[in-house]
Amino acid sequence: MVTFSQIPIRIIKEQELIIGPLAWDEAGKVNGLVIDQSHNSVSFAGDQKEIINRLVAQYERLFGRASHEVCKEAVQDLIAEMPPEEIPDSLK
């Protein structure tokens, strides 16, 4: 079973391959996403789907549409296992 906390970690790590440590800095700016980089873990303070949408939007705002596609591709296998209504809109 996919846990929502796997999704942002996968997105951040994929972005990190492209933009380096800046990926973690940008994720840290997302309201409601609590990051523990030393343990590669995240937790949520609020609606998980909305926070993931904000994370994707944060990267897209800085790096454009290609960044949005990177986010979607990074979690493609995870969201394939999820019921459609649970998938954040930004990843559909």
Side-chain angles (χ1 to χ4, degrees):
M1 166 135 178
V2 174
T3 64
F4 264 90
S5 62
Q6 292 174 290
I7 294 173
I9 288 293
R10 183 83 65 87
I11 289 172
I12 295 166
K13 286 184 175 190
E14 194 66 27
Q15 293 289 344
E16 185 179 29
L17 293 174
I18 299 166
I19 62 172
L22 181 61
W24 290 95
D25 295 340
E26 291 304 317
K29 296 176 184 177
V30 174
N31 188 26
L33 186 63
V34 182
I35 298 174
D36 181 354
Q37 188 175 351
S38 63
H39 293 101
N40 285 331
S41 65
V42 298
S43 58
F44 298 95
D47 180 78
Q48 297 172 335
K49 284 172 54 173
E50 184 53 40
I51 293 167
I52 290 170
N53 287 335
R54 287 196 294 258
L55 176 64
V56 172
Q58 178 71 18
Y59 289 126
E60 185 173 11
R61 198 170 17 261
L62 290 170
F63 307 109
R65 183 73 186 157
S67 182
H68 187 141
E69 293 304 315
V70 168
C71 293
K72 287 171 65 174
E73 289 175 19
V75 297
Q76 199 170 16
D77 61 321
L78 295 177
I79 63 174
E81 302 172 21
M82 296 173 67
E85 66 276 3
E86 290 184 17
I87 299 171
D89 291 338
S90 61
L91 300 176
K92 291 182 180 176

Short mmCIF file of all heavy atoms in Angstrom, two decimals, residues 11-23 63 66-67 69-71 73:
data_model
loop_
_atom_site.label_atom_id
_atom_site.label_comp_id
_atom_site.label_asym_id
_atom_site.label_seq_id
_atom_site.Cartn_x
_atom_site.Cartn_y
_atom_site.Cartn_z
N ILE A 11 9.21 12.73 -5.14
CA ILE A 11 9.26 13.95 -5.95
C ILE A 11 10.51 14.76 -5.62
O ILE A 11 11.23 15.20 -6.52
CB ILE A 11 7.98 14.79 -5.73
CG1 ILE A 11 6.77 14.09 -6.38
CG2 ILE A 11 8.15 16.21 -6.28
CD1 ILE A 11 5.43 14.72 -6.06
N ILE A 12 10.77 14.95 -4.34
CA ILE A 12 11.93 15.75 -3.94
C ILE A 12 13.22 15.11 -4.43
O ILE A 12 14.10 15.79 -4.97
CB ILE A 12 11.96 15.93 -2.40
CG1 ILE A 12 10.76 16.75 -1.94
CG2 ILE A 12 13.28 16.61 -1.98
CD1 ILE A 12 10.51 16.70 -0.43
N LYS A 13 13.35 13.81 -4.26
CA LYS A 13 14.58 13.12 -4.69
C LYS A 13 14.77 13.20 -6.20
O LYS A 13 15.89 13.34 -6.68
CB LYS A 13 14.57 11.67 -4.21
CG LYS A 13 14.82 11.56 -2.73
CD LYS A 13 14.92 10.13 -2.29
CE LYS A 13 15.31 10.05 -0.83
NZ LYS A 13 15.64 8.72 -0.41
N GLU A 14 13.69 13.11 -6.95
CA GLU A 14 13.79 13.22 -8.41
C GLU A 14 14.20 14.64 -8.81
O GLU A 14 15.04 14.82 -9.68
CB GLU A 14 12.46 12.83 -9.06
CG GLU A 14 12.55 12.58 -10.53
CD GLU A 14 13.40 11.37 -10.92
OE1 GLU A 14 13.53 10.42 -10.11
OE2 GLU A 14 13.93 11.37 -12.04
N GLN A 15 13.61 15.62 -8.15
CA GLN A 15 14.00 17.01 -8.42
C GLN A 15 15.46 17.25 -8.01
O GLN A 15 16.18 17.99 -8.67
CB GLN A 15 13.08 17.98 -7.68
CG GLN A 15 11.66 17.99 -8.17
CD GLN A 15 11.50 18.62 -9.55
OE1 GLN A 15 12.37 19.31 -10.05
NE2 GLN A 15 10.36 18.37 -10.16
N GLU A 16 15.88 16.60 -6.94
CA GLU A 16 17.26 16.74 -6.47
C GLU A 16 18.26 16.26 -7.52
O GLU A 16 19.35 16.83 -7.66
CB GLU A 16 17.45 15.97 -5.17
CG GLU A 16 18.81 16.15 -4.53
CD GLU A 16 18.95 15.39 -3.23
OE1 GLU A 16 18.30 14.33 -3.06
OE2 GLU A 16 19.72 15.84 -2.38
N LEU A 17 17.90 15.25 -8.28
CA LEU A 17 18.78 14.76 -9.34
C LEU A 17 19.01 15.83 -10.41
O LEU A 17 20.05 15.86 -11.06
CB LEU A 17 18.18 13.51 -10.01
CG LEU A 17 18.10 12.26 -9.15
CD1 LEU A 17 17.37 11.16 -9.91
CD2 LEU A 17 19.49 11.80 -8.74
N ILE A 18 18.04 16.72 -10.56
CA ILE A 18 18.11 17.75 -11.59
C ILE A 18 18.70 19.06 -11.04
O ILE A 18 19.58 19.64 -11.66
CB ILE A 18 16.70 18.01 -12.17
CG1 ILE A 18 16.17 16.72 -12.81
CG2 ILE A 18 16.72 19.15 -13.19
CD1 ILE A 18 14.69 16.75 -13.10
N ILE A 19 18.22 19.49 -9.89
CA ILE A 19 18.61 20.81 -9.38
C ILE A 19 19.48 20.77 -8.12
O ILE A 19 19.83 21.81 -7.58
CB ILE A 19 17.38 21.71 -9.13
CG1 ILE A 19 16.45 21.10 -8.07
CG2 ILE A 19 16.64 21.95 -10.42
CD1 ILE A 19 15.32 22.02 -7.64
N GLY A 20 19.78 19.57 -7.64
CA GLY A 20 20.65 19.45 -6.48
C GLY A 20 19.93 19.75 -5.17
O GLY A 20 18.70 19.66 -5.08
N PRO A 21 20.69 20.17 -4.15
CA PRO A 21 20.13 20.40 -2.81
C PRO A 21 19.03 21.47 -2.78
O PRO A 21 18.24 21.51 -1.85
CB PRO A 21 21.33 20.85 -1.98
CG PRO A 21 22.54 20.45 -2.76
CD PRO A 21 22.13 20.36 -4.19
N LEU A 22 18.97 22.30 -3.80
CA LEU A 22 17.92 23.30 -3.89
C LEU A 22 16.53 22.66 -3.83
O LEU A 22 15.57 23.27 -3.36
CB LEU A 22 18.09 24.11 -5.18
CG LEU A 22 17.09 25.22 -5.45
CD1 LEU A 22 17.17 26.28 -4.35
CD2 LEU A 22 17.37 25.85 -6.80
N ALA A 23 16.43 21.41 -4.27
CA ALA A 23 15.15 20.71 -4.25
C ALA A 23 14.60 20.62 -2.82
O ALA A 23 13.41 20.80 -2.59
CB ALA A 23 15.30 19.31 -4.85
N PHE A 63 10.64 26.29 -12.09
CA PHE A 63 11.34 25.63 -13.19
C PHE A 63 10.46 25.27 -14.38
O PHE A 63 10.91 24.63 -15.32
CB PHE A 63 12.06 24.38 -12.66
CG PHE A 63 12.93 24.69 -11.49
CD1 PHE A 63 12.60 24.26 -10.22
CD2 PHE A 63 14.09 25.44 -11.64
CE1 PHE A 63 13.41 24.56 -9.13
CE2 PHE A 63 14.89 25.76 -10.56
CZ PHE A 63 14.54 25.32 -9.30
N ALA A 66 8.17 21.55 -17.43
CA ALA A 66 8.99 20.33 -17.45
C ALA A 66 9.16 19.78 -16.03
O ALA A 66 9.15 18.57 -15.82
CB ALA A 66 10.35 20.60 -18.08
N SER A 67 9.26 20.67 -15.07
CA SER A 67 9.40 20.26 -13.68
C SER A 67 8.15 19.54 -13.20
O SER A 67 8.23 18.57 -12.45
CB SER A 67 9.68 21.48 -12.81
OG SER A 67 9.87 21.11 -11.49
N GLU A 69 6.16 17.77 -15.05
CA GLU A 69 6.21 16.43 -15.65
C GLU A 69 7.17 15.51 -14.90
O GLU A 69 6.90 14.32 -14.73
CB GLU A 69 6.57 16.52 -17.13
CG GLU A 69 5.50 17.19 -17.98
CD GLU A 69 4.14 16.52 -17.86
OE1 GLU A 69 4.06 15.28 -17.90
OE2 GLU A 69 3.13 17.25 -17.73
N VAL A 70 8.29 16.06 -14.45
CA VAL A 70 9.24 15.27 -13.66
C VAL A 70 8.56 14.76 -12.40
O VAL A 70 8.73 13.59 -12.01
CB VAL A 70 10.50 16.10 -13.32
CG1 VAL A 70 11.36 15.41 -12.27
CG2 VAL A 70 11.32 16.37 -14.57
N CYS A 71 7.78 15.61 -11.76
CA CYS A 71 7.06 15.20 -10.54
C CYS A 71 6.10 14.05 -10.83
O CYS A 71 6.06 13.06 -10.10
CB CYS A 71 6.27 16.38 -9.98
SG CYS A 71 7.27 17.73 -9.33
N GLU A 73 6.16 11.88 -13.35
CA GLU A 73 6.89 10.66 -13.71
C GLU A 73 7.52 10.00 -12.49
O GLU A 73 7.60 8.77 -12.42
CB GLU A 73 7.95 10.99 -14.75
CG GLU A 73 7.37 11.30 -16.11
CD GLU A 73 8.42 11.73 -17.12
OE1 GLU A 73 9.61 11.44 -16.90
OE2 GLU A 73 8.04 12.36 -18.12
#
